[in-house]
Amino acid sequence: MINGVLNIYKEKGFTSHDVVAKLRGICGQKKIGHTGTLDPDAEGVLPVCLGNATKLCDMLTDKRKEYVAEMRLGIVTDTQDMSGNVLSQCDVTVTKEAVQETIASFLGVSEQLPPMYSAKKVNGRKLYEFAREGIEVERRKCRIEIYDIEILSMELPELSFRVVCSKGTYVRTICHDIGEKLGCGGAMSSLLRTKVERFRCEDALKLSEVERIRDEGVLLQHIVPVEEMFQHLPKVTVAEPYRKLIDNGNPFRPGQCVKRPDTRKPQVRVYNSDGGFCGIYGYDAENHQYTPVKMFLA
């Protein structure tokens, strides 16, 4: 079984679920999961976790993401992008200065109303399921954060921008809200996810490329090992006499390590005496021991 993370370039027309299904066939294993849904019309970086790396999925979903979006002012659709039904249209008379000021105003923490055409669940059902039935349900606004946003090009009514945002941010909704704030409406025309954590668009592989490198026998060279995702954490090796503790995912004490760790660090990556990566532990100061946060035993 392959264990690790593969940086996939999701192409237009595929759902994130489609990518996972196709990779199961390409890699010949069932244990595969993606790290955050991309709309079928969107493309770009989709880190995919294989084997015991599927335990990483929620961790990578939490990471900040970078996108390049194109949008059109003067139009409102039911999906907040150009694939939807047009609800209204108007002439765009706003100035470029007004657009710049409006987009800059989205920087920082705010609350965003999830779109009806989204995979977010309400009462156990995905919102898009309600939307397809013509039902609009009450949604709660979610806290999001825009870390950086900049205009890349502007030829009104068209413009493009780069945005770095927190998890749970809908870029379609940013486009819609920009248009609403300008008073003319707006809808997203294209979306490219350029970065998720360490994974960048220029290094991502299309499914056809994954098939090719599999056939060439070099697929493993493109797999990022789980432990590499935690290089920012201090390394701790548990001494051989206490190996069973980590083999069973139990807590251990600082004195049971080959070298006493700095307990001021809240989390560490833990290895056994053979150099095998076991998982991430956090220090419990009250009980003077390290306890498991996430185990990655084979």
Side-chain angles (χ1 to χ4, degrees), residues 248-279:
N248 294 317
N250 292 322
F252 63 87
R253 298 191 178 279
Q256 295 172 323
C257 300
V258 171
K259 180 181 178 182
R260 193 174 185 87
D262 181 356
T263 55
R264 292 174 298 180
K265 305 293 184 181
Q267 290 189 345
V268 294
R269 50 192 168 100
V270 176
Y271 294 77
N272 60 32
S273 54
D274 292 334
F277 175 63
C278 300

PDB file of all heavy atoms in Angstrom, residues 248-279:
ATOM      1  N   ASN A 248       1.593   1.029  20.606  1.00  0.00           N
ATOM      2  CA  ASN A 248       0.186   0.888  20.978  1.00  0.00           C
ATOM      3  C   ASN A 248      -0.521   2.240  21.110  1.00  0.00           C
ATOM      4  O   ASN A 248      -1.657   2.308  21.578  1.00  0.00           O
ATOM      5  CB  ASN A 248       0.058   0.117  22.289  1.00  0.00           C
ATOM      6  CG  ASN A 248       0.520  -1.329  22.139  1.00  0.00           C
ATOM      7  OD1 ASN A 248       0.213  -1.987  21.158  1.00  0.00           O
ATOM      8  ND2 ASN A 248       1.271  -1.814  23.109  1.00  0.00           N
ATOM      9  N   GLY A 249       0.192   3.307  20.736  1.00  0.00           N
ATOM     10  CA  GLY A 249      -0.419   4.637  20.791  1.00  0.00           C
ATOM     11  C   GLY A 249      -0.666   5.148  22.193  1.00  0.00           C
ATOM     12  O   GLY A 249      -1.605   5.920  22.424  1.00  0.00           O
ATOM     13  N   ASN A 250       0.204   4.742  23.127  1.00  0.00           N
ATOM     14  CA  ASN A 250       0.055   5.163  24.525  1.00  0.00           C
ATOM     15  C   ASN A 250       0.916   6.391  24.828  1.00  0.00           C
ATOM     16  O   ASN A 250       1.867   6.692  24.099  1.00  0.00           O
ATOM     17  CB  ASN A 250       0.454   4.024  25.464  1.00  0.00           C
ATOM     18  CG  ASN A 250      -0.522   2.866  25.399  1.00  0.00           C
ATOM     19  OD1 ASN A 250      -1.721   3.073  25.291  1.00  0.00           O
ATOM     20  ND2 ASN A 250      -0.001   1.645  25.455  1.00  0.00           N
ATOM     21  N   PRO A 251       0.626   7.095  25.925  1.00  0.00           N
ATOM     22  CA  PRO A 251       1.470   8.221  26.334  1.00  0.00           C
ATOM     23  C   PRO A 251       2.860   7.738  26.759  1.00  0.00           C
ATOM     24  O   PRO A 251       3.057   6.564  27.086  1.00  0.00           O
ATOM     25  CB  PRO A 251       0.716   8.816  27.534  1.00  0.00           C
ATOM     26  CG  PRO A 251      -0.696   8.312  27.405  1.00  0.00           C
ATOM     27  CD  PRO A 251      -0.563   6.956  26.775  1.00  0.00           C
ATOM     28  N   PHE A 252       3.823   8.673  26.747  1.00  0.00           N
ATOM     29  CA  PHE A 252       5.155   8.380  27.278  1.00  0.00           C
ATOM     30  C   PHE A 252       5.687   9.632  27.957  1.00  0.00           C
ATOM     31  O   PHE A 252       5.183  10.745  27.738  1.00  0.00           O
ATOM     32  CB  PHE A 252       6.103   7.901  26.161  1.00  0.00           C
ATOM     33  CG  PHE A 252       6.348   8.928  25.084  1.00  0.00           C
ATOM     34  CD1 PHE A 252       7.360   9.873  25.198  1.00  0.00           C
ATOM     35  CD2 PHE A 252       5.566   8.944  23.932  1.00  0.00           C
ATOM     36  CE1 PHE A 252       7.598  10.816  24.210  1.00  0.00           C
ATOM     37  CE2 PHE A 252       5.783   9.893  22.928  1.00  0.00           C
ATOM     38  CZ  PHE A 252       6.795  10.824  23.072  1.00  0.00           C
ATOM     39  N   ARG A 253       6.721   9.449  28.780  1.00  0.00           N
ATOM     40  CA  ARG A 253       7.277  10.571  29.540  1.00  0.00           C
ATOM     41  C   ARG A 253       8.568  11.072  28.889  1.00  0.00           C
ATOM     42  O   ARG A 253       9.253  10.308  28.187  1.00  0.00           O
ATOM     43  CB  ARG A 253       7.515  10.159  30.985  1.00  0.00           C
ATOM     44  CG  ARG A 253       6.227   9.762  31.701  1.00  0.00           C
ATOM     45  CD  ARG A 253       6.415   9.605  33.206  1.00  0.00           C
ATOM     46  NE  ARG A 253       5.150   9.262  33.846  1.00  0.00           N
ATOM     47  CZ  ARG A 253       4.200  10.147  34.160  1.00  0.00           C
ATOM     48  NH1 ARG A 253       4.400  11.437  33.889  1.00  0.00           N
ATOM     49  NH2 ARG A 253       3.087   9.761  34.736  1.00  0.00           N
ATOM     50  N   PRO A 254       8.913  12.324  29.134  1.00  0.00           N
ATOM     51  CA  PRO A 254      10.140  12.889  28.539  1.00  0.00           C
ATOM     52  C   PRO A 254      11.383  12.057  28.849  1.00  0.00           C
ATOM     53  O   PRO A 254      12.265  11.918  28.000  1.00  0.00           O
ATOM     54  CB  PRO A 254      10.228  14.277  29.180  1.00  0.00           C
ATOM     55  CG  PRO A 254       8.812  14.642  29.486  1.00  0.00           C
ATOM     56  CD  PRO A 254       8.151  13.356  29.873  1.00  0.00           C
ATOM     57  N   GLY A 255      11.436  11.485  30.035  1.00  0.00           N
ATOM     58  CA  GLY A 255      12.600  10.684  30.426  1.00  0.00           C
ATOM     59  C   GLY A 255      12.705   9.357  29.712  1.00  0.00           C
ATOM     60  O   GLY A 255      13.719   8.656  29.838  1.00  0.00           O
ATOM     61  N   GLN A 256      11.683   8.997  28.946  1.00  0.00           N
ATOM     62  CA  GLN A 256      11.700   7.733  28.202  1.00  0.00           C
ATOM     63  C   GLN A 256      12.174   7.916  26.762  1.00  0.00           C
ATOM     64  O   GLN A 256      12.098   6.992  25.970  1.00  0.00           O
ATOM     65  CB  GLN A 256      10.297   7.108  28.241  1.00  0.00           C
ATOM     66  CG  GLN A 256       9.875   6.701  29.663  1.00  0.00           C
ATOM     67  CD  GLN A 256       8.416   6.269  29.743  1.00  0.00           C
ATOM     68  OE1 GLN A 256       7.545   6.822  29.068  1.00  0.00           O
ATOM     69  NE2 GLN A 256       8.134   5.275  30.593  1.00  0.00           N
ATOM     70  N   CYS A 257      12.708   9.106  26.484  1.00  0.00           N
ATOM     71  CA  CYS A 257      13.222   9.397  25.149  1.00  0.00           C
ATOM     72  C   CYS A 257      14.736   9.234  25.106  1.00  0.00           C
ATOM     73  O   CYS A 257      15.409   9.298  26.146  1.00  0.00           O
ATOM     74  CB  CYS A 257      12.851  10.826  24.741  1.00  0.00           C
ATOM     75  SG  CYS A 257      11.070  11.119  24.703  1.00  0.00           S
ATOM     76  N   VAL A 258      15.289   8.978  23.918  1.00  0.00           N
ATOM     77  CA  VAL A 258      16.736   8.839  23.749  1.00  0.00           C
ATOM     78  C   VAL A 258      17.443  10.111  24.228  1.00  0.00           C
ATOM     79  O   VAL A 258      18.468  10.064  24.908  1.00  0.00           O
ATOM     80  CB  VAL A 258      17.077   8.550  22.270  1.00  0.00           C
ATOM     81  CG1 VAL A 258      18.578   8.625  22.042  1.00  0.00           C
ATOM     82  CG2 VAL A 258      16.523   7.179  21.860  1.00  0.00           C
ATOM     83  N   LYS A 259      16.867  11.257  23.880  1.00  0.00           N
ATOM     84  CA  LYS A 259      17.378  12.549  24.333  1.00  0.00           C
ATOM     85  C   LYS A 259      16.200  13.332  24.893  1.00  0.00           C
ATOM     86  O   LYS A 259      15.164  13.431  24.260  1.00  0.00           O
ATOM     87  CB  LYS A 259      18.008  13.314  23.161  1.00  0.00           C
ATOM     88  CG  LYS A 259      18.573  14.661  23.537  1.00  0.00           C
ATOM     89  CD  LYS A 259      19.151  15.354  22.296  1.00  0.00           C
ATOM     90  CE  LYS A 259      19.668  16.741  22.667  1.00  0.00           C
ATOM     91  NZ  LYS A 259      20.195  17.459  21.463  1.00  0.00           N
ATOM     92  N   ARG A 260      16.382  13.859  26.104  1.00  0.00           N
ATOM     93  CA  ARG A 260      15.254  14.546  26.754  1.00  0.00           C
ATOM     94  C   ARG A 260      14.784  15.728  25.901  1.00  0.00           C
ATOM     95  O   ARG A 260      15.560  16.631  25.587  1.00  0.00           O
ATOM     96  CB  ARG A 260      15.659  15.022  28.144  1.00  0.00           C
ATOM     97  CG  ARG A 260      14.456  15.456  28.989  1.00  0.00           C
ATOM     98  CD  ARG A 260      14.857  15.793  30.418  1.00  0.00           C
ATOM     99  NE  ARG A 260      13.677  16.094  31.209  1.00  0.00           N
ATOM    100  CZ  ARG A 260      12.948  15.191  31.854  1.00  0.00           C
ATOM    101  NH1 ARG A 260      13.297  13.911  31.811  1.00  0.00           N
ATOM    102  NH2 ARG A 260      11.882  15.545  32.562  1.00  0.00           N
ATOM    103  N   PRO A 261      13.483  15.750  25.526  1.00  0.00           N
ATOM    104  CA  PRO A 261      12.974  16.812  24.649  1.00  0.00           C
ATOM    105  C   PRO A 261      12.700  18.119  25.398  1.00  0.00           C
ATOM    106  O   PRO A 261      12.613  18.134  26.627  1.00  0.00           O
ATOM    107  CB  PRO A 261      11.667  16.218  24.110  1.00  0.00           C
ATOM    108  CG  PRO A 261      11.229  15.251  25.160  1.00  0.00           C
ATOM    109  CD  PRO A 261      12.476  14.708  25.793  1.00  0.00           C
ATOM    110  N   ASP A 262      12.580  19.184  24.624  1.00  0.00           N
ATOM    111  CA  ASP A 262      12.215  20.488  25.167  1.00  0.00           C
ATOM    112  C   ASP A 262      10.697  20.526  25.329  1.00  0.00           C
ATOM    113  O   ASP A 262       9.958  20.638  24.348  1.00  0.00           O
ATOM    114  CB  ASP A 262      12.678  21.595  24.210  1.00  0.00           C
ATOM    115  CG  ASP A 262      12.354  22.993  24.717  1.00  0.00           C
ATOM    116  OD1 ASP A 262      11.707  23.110  25.774  1.00  0.00           O
ATOM    117  OD2 ASP A 262      12.746  23.967  24.044  1.00  0.00           O
ATOM    118  N   THR A 263      10.230  20.408  26.547  1.00  0.00           N
ATOM    119  CA  THR A 263       8.783  20.307  26.796  1.00  0.00           C
ATOM    120  C   THR A 263       8.051  21.633  26.607  1.00  0.00           C
ATOM    121  O   THR A 263       6.827  21.681  26.736  1.00  0.00           O
ATOM    122  CB  THR A 263       8.523  19.771  28.215  1.00  0.00           C
ATOM    123  OG1 THR A 263       9.199  20.610  29.167  1.00  0.00           O
ATOM    124  CG2 THR A 263       9.021  18.337  28.361  1.00  0.00           C
ATOM    125  N   ARG A 264       8.802  22.671  26.283  1.00  0.00           N
ATOM    126  CA  ARG A 264       8.136  23.949  25.992  1.00  0.00           C
ATOM    127  C   ARG A 264       7.479  23.919  24.613  1.00  0.00           C
ATOM    128  O   ARG A 264       6.627  24.763  24.310  1.00  0.00           O
ATOM    129  CB  ARG A 264       9.145  25.098  26.062  1.00  0.00           C
ATOM    130  CG  ARG A 264       9.672  25.376  27.473  1.00  0.00           C
ATOM    131  CD  ARG A 264      10.773  26.409  27.444  1.00  0.00           C
ATOM    132  NE  ARG A 264      11.927  25.938  26.651  1.00  0.00           N
ATOM    133  CZ  ARG A 264      13.025  26.652  26.456  1.00  0.00           C
ATOM    134  NH1 ARG A 264      13.131  27.879  26.973  1.00  0.00           N
ATOM    135  NH2 ARG A 264      14.026  26.163  25.732  1.00  0.00           N
ATOM    136  N   LYS A 265       7.890  22.968  23.788  1.00  0.00           N
ATOM    137  CA  LYS A 265       7.281  22.813  22.464  1.00  0.00           C
ATOM    138  C   LYS A 265       5.975  22.031  22.618  1.00  0.00           C
ATOM    139  O   LYS A 265       5.981  20.916  23.149  1.00  0.00           O
ATOM    140  CB  LYS A 265       8.222  22.077  21.510  1.00  0.00           C
ATOM    141  CG  LYS A 265       9.608  22.716  21.371  1.00  0.00           C
ATOM    142  CD  LYS A 265       9.534  24.064  20.696  1.00  0.00           C
ATOM    143  CE  LYS A 265      10.933  24.636  20.476  1.00  0.00           C
ATOM    144  NZ  LYS A 265      10.885  25.974  19.836  1.00  0.00           N
ATOM    145  N   PRO A 266       4.855  22.585  22.161  1.00  0.00           N
ATOM    146  CA  PRO A 266       3.556  21.936  22.399  1.00  0.00           C
ATOM    147  C   PRO A 266       3.365  20.606  21.682  1.00  0.00           C
ATOM    148  O   PRO A 266       2.660  19.723  22.175  1.00  0.00           O
ATOM    149  CB  PRO A 266       2.536  22.971  21.921  1.00  0.00           C
ATOM    150  CG  PRO A 266       3.281  23.821  20.950  1.00  0.00           C
ATOM    151  CD  PRO A 266       4.699  23.864  21.446  1.00  0.00           C
ATOM    152  N   GLN A 267       3.994  20.449  20.499  1.00  0.00           N
ATOM    153  CA  GLN A 267       3.840  19.207  19.750  1.00  0.00           C
ATOM    154  C   GLN A 267       5.182  18.747  19.195  1.00  0.00           C
ATOM    155  O   GLN A 267       6.072  19.560  18.937  1.00  0.00           O
ATOM    156  CB  GLN A 267       2.841  19.374  18.592  1.00  0.00           C
ATOM    157  CG  GLN A 267       1.401  19.528  19.041  1.00  0.00           C
ATOM    158  CD  GLN A 267       0.427  19.471  17.874  1.00  0.00           C
ATOM    159  OE1 GLN A 267       0.792  19.584  16.705  1.00  0.00           O
ATOM    160  NE2 GLN A 267      -0.846  19.269  18.184  1.00  0.00           N
ATOM    161  N   VAL A 268       5.299  17.427  19.035  1.00  0.00           N
ATOM    162  CA  VAL A 268       6.527  16.835  18.491  1.00  0.00           C
ATOM    163  C   VAL A 268       6.146  15.708  17.530  1.00  0.00           C
ATOM    164  O   VAL A 268       5.043  15.170  17.591  1.00  0.00           O
ATOM    165  CB  VAL A 268       7.438  16.264  19.605  1.00  0.00           C
ATOM    166  CG1 VAL A 268       7.965  17.379  20.501  1.00  0.00           C
ATOM    167  CG2 VAL A 268       6.694  15.217  20.435  1.00  0.00           C
ATOM    168  N   ARG A 269       7.085  15.375  16.630  1.00  0.00           N
ATOM    169  CA  ARG A 269       6.895  14.185  15.790  1.00  0.00           C
ATOM    170  C   ARG A 269       7.733  13.075  16.411  1.00  0.00           C
ATOM    171  O   ARG A 269       8.907  13.263  16.742  1.00  0.00           O
ATOM    172  CB  ARG A 269       7.258  14.443  14.332  1.00  0.00           C
ATOM    173  CG  ARG A 269       8.584  15.085  14.097  1.00  0.00           C
ATOM    174  CD  ARG A 269       8.728  15.577  12.648  1.00  0.00           C
ATOM    175  NE  ARG A 269       9.883  16.434  12.516  1.00  0.00           N
ATOM    176  CZ  ARG A 269      11.062  16.053  12.025  1.00  0.00           C
ATOM    177  NH1 ARG A 269      11.233  14.812  11.588  1.00  0.00           N
ATOM    178  NH2 ARG A 269      12.067  16.901  11.946  1.00  0.00           N
ATOM    179  N   VAL A 270       7.119  11.925  16.576  1.00  0.00           N
ATOM    180  CA  VAL A 270       7.699  10.848  17.371  1.00  0.00           C
ATOM    181  C   VAL A 270       8.158   9.689  16.492  1.00  0.00           C
ATOM    182  O   VAL A 270       7.448   9.261  15.575  1.00  0.00           O
ATOM    183  CB  VAL A 270       6.679  10.356  18.421  1.00  0.00           C
ATOM    184  CG1 VAL A 270       7.236   9.173  19.198  1.00  0.00           C
ATOM    185  CG2 VAL A 270       6.326  11.505  19.371  1.00  0.00           C
ATOM    186  N   TYR A 271       9.355   9.197  16.797  1.00  0.00           N
ATOM    187  CA  TYR A 271       9.964   8.069  16.076  1.00  0.00           C
ATOM    188  C   TYR A 271      10.324   6.965  17.058  1.00  0.00           C
ATOM    189  O   TYR A 271      10.591   7.224  18.249  1.00  0.00           O
ATOM    190  CB  TYR A 271      11.232   8.525  15.350  1.00  0.00           C
ATOM    191  CG  TYR A 271      10.984   9.505  14.226  1.00  0.00           C
ATOM    192  CD1 TYR A 271      10.709  10.848  14.490  1.00  0.00           C
ATOM    193  CD2 TYR A 271      11.022   9.098  12.895  1.00  0.00           C
ATOM    194  CE1 TYR A 271      10.465  11.752  13.458  1.00  0.00           C
ATOM    195  CE2 TYR A 271      10.796  10.005  11.855  1.00  0.00           C
ATOM    196  CZ  TYR A 271      10.519  11.325  12.152  1.00  0.00           C
ATOM    197  OH  TYR A 271      10.289  12.217  11.135  1.00  0.00           O
ATOM    198  N   ASN A 272      10.366   5.723  16.547  1.00  0.00           N
ATOM    199  CA  ASN A 272      10.856   4.623  17.383  1.00  0.00           C
ATOM    200  C   ASN A 272      12.366   4.510  17.224  1.00  0.00           C
ATOM    201  O   ASN A 272      12.987   5.237  16.436  1.00  0.00           O
ATOM    202  CB  ASN A 272      10.140   3.308  17.048  1.00  0.00           C
ATOM    203  CG  ASN A 272      10.332   2.879  15.589  1.00  0.00           C
ATOM    204  OD1 ASN A 272      11.379   3.139  14.983  1.00  0.00           O
ATOM    205  ND2 ASN A 272       9.331   2.212  15.026  1.00  0.00           N
ATOM    206  N   SER A 273      12.969   3.610  17.953  1.00  0.00           N
ATOM    207  CA  SER A 273      14.432   3.495  17.969  1.00  0.00           C
ATOM    208  C   SER A 273      15.002   3.027  16.636  1.00  0.00           C
ATOM    209  O   SER A 273      16.207   3.165  16.380  1.00  0.00           O
ATOM    210  CB  SER A 273      14.872   2.542  19.085  1.00  0.00           C
ATOM    211  OG  SER A 273      14.208   1.296  18.955  1.00  0.00           O
ATOM    212  N   ASP A 274      14.161   2.480  15.749  1.00  0.00           N
ATOM    213  CA  ASP A 274      14.607   2.074  14.407  1.00  0.00           C
ATOM    214  C   ASP A 274      14.490   3.215  13.396  1.00  0.00           C
ATOM    215  O   ASP A 274      14.796   3.040  12.213  1.00  0.00           O
ATOM    216  CB  ASP A 274      13.780   0.880  13.914  1.00  0.00           C
ATOM    217  CG  ASP A 274      14.063  -0.387  14.702  1.00  0.00           C
ATOM    218  OD1 ASP A 274      15.178  -0.502  15.255  1.00  0.00           O
ATOM    219  OD2 ASP A 274      13.162  -1.240  14.781  1.00  0.00           O
ATOM    220  N   GLY A 275      14.034   4.371  13.856  1.00  0.00           N
ATOM    221  CA  GLY A 275      13.882   5.517  12.961  1.00  0.00           C
ATOM    222  C   GLY A 275      12.551   5.581  12.258  1.00  0.00           C
ATOM    223  O   GLY A 275      12.359   6.409  11.362  1.00  0.00           O
ATOM    224  N   GLY A 276      11.616   4.707  12.661  1.00  0.00           N
ATOM    225  CA  GLY A 276      10.300   4.706  12.034  1.00  0.00           C
ATOM    226  C   GLY A 276       9.404   5.798  12.604  1.00  0.00           C
ATOM    227  O   GLY A 276       9.336   5.980  13.826  1.00  0.00           O
ATOM    228  N   PHE A 277       8.731   6.506  11.702  1.00  0.00           N
ATOM    229  CA  PHE A 277       7.830   7.585  12.135  1.00  0.00           C
ATOM    230  C   PHE A 277       6.543   6.977  12.683  1.00  0.00           C
ATOM    231  O   PHE A 277       5.928   6.119  12.057  1.00  0.00           O
ATOM    232  CB  PHE A 277       7.516   8.497  10.949  1.00  0.00           C
ATOM    233  CG  PHE A 277       6.510   9.575  11.243  1.00  0.00           C
ATOM    234  CD1 PHE A 277       6.772  10.556  12.174  1.00  0.00           C
ATOM    235  CD2 PHE A 277       5.289   9.597  10.569  1.00  0.00           C
ATOM    236  CE1 PHE A 277       5.843  11.568  12.450  1.00  0.00           C
ATOM    237  CE2 PHE A 277       4.363  10.590  10.824  1.00  0.00           C
ATOM    238  CZ  PHE A 277       4.640  11.575  11.764  1.00  0.00           C
ATOM    239  N   CYS A 278       6.129   7.438  13.870  1.00  0.00           N
ATOM    240  CA  CYS A 278       4.949   6.863  14.529  1.00  0.00           C
ATOM    241  C   CYS A 278       3.758   7.804  14.567  1.00  0.00           C
ATOM    242  O   CYS A 278       2.618   7.366  14.414  1.00  0.00           O
ATOM    243  CB  CYS A 278       5.300   6.454  15.958  1.00  0.00           C
ATOM    244  SG  CYS A 278       6.614   5.218  16.034  1.00  0.00           S
ATOM    245  N   GLY A 279       4.019   9.088  14.788  1.00  0.00           N
ATOM    246  CA  GLY A 279       2.889  10.013  14.864  1.00  0.00           C
ATOM    247  C   GLY A 279       3.245  11.328  15.516  1.00  0.00           C
ATOM    248  O   GLY A 279       4.414  11.624  15.793  1.00  0.00           O
TER     249      GLY A 279
END
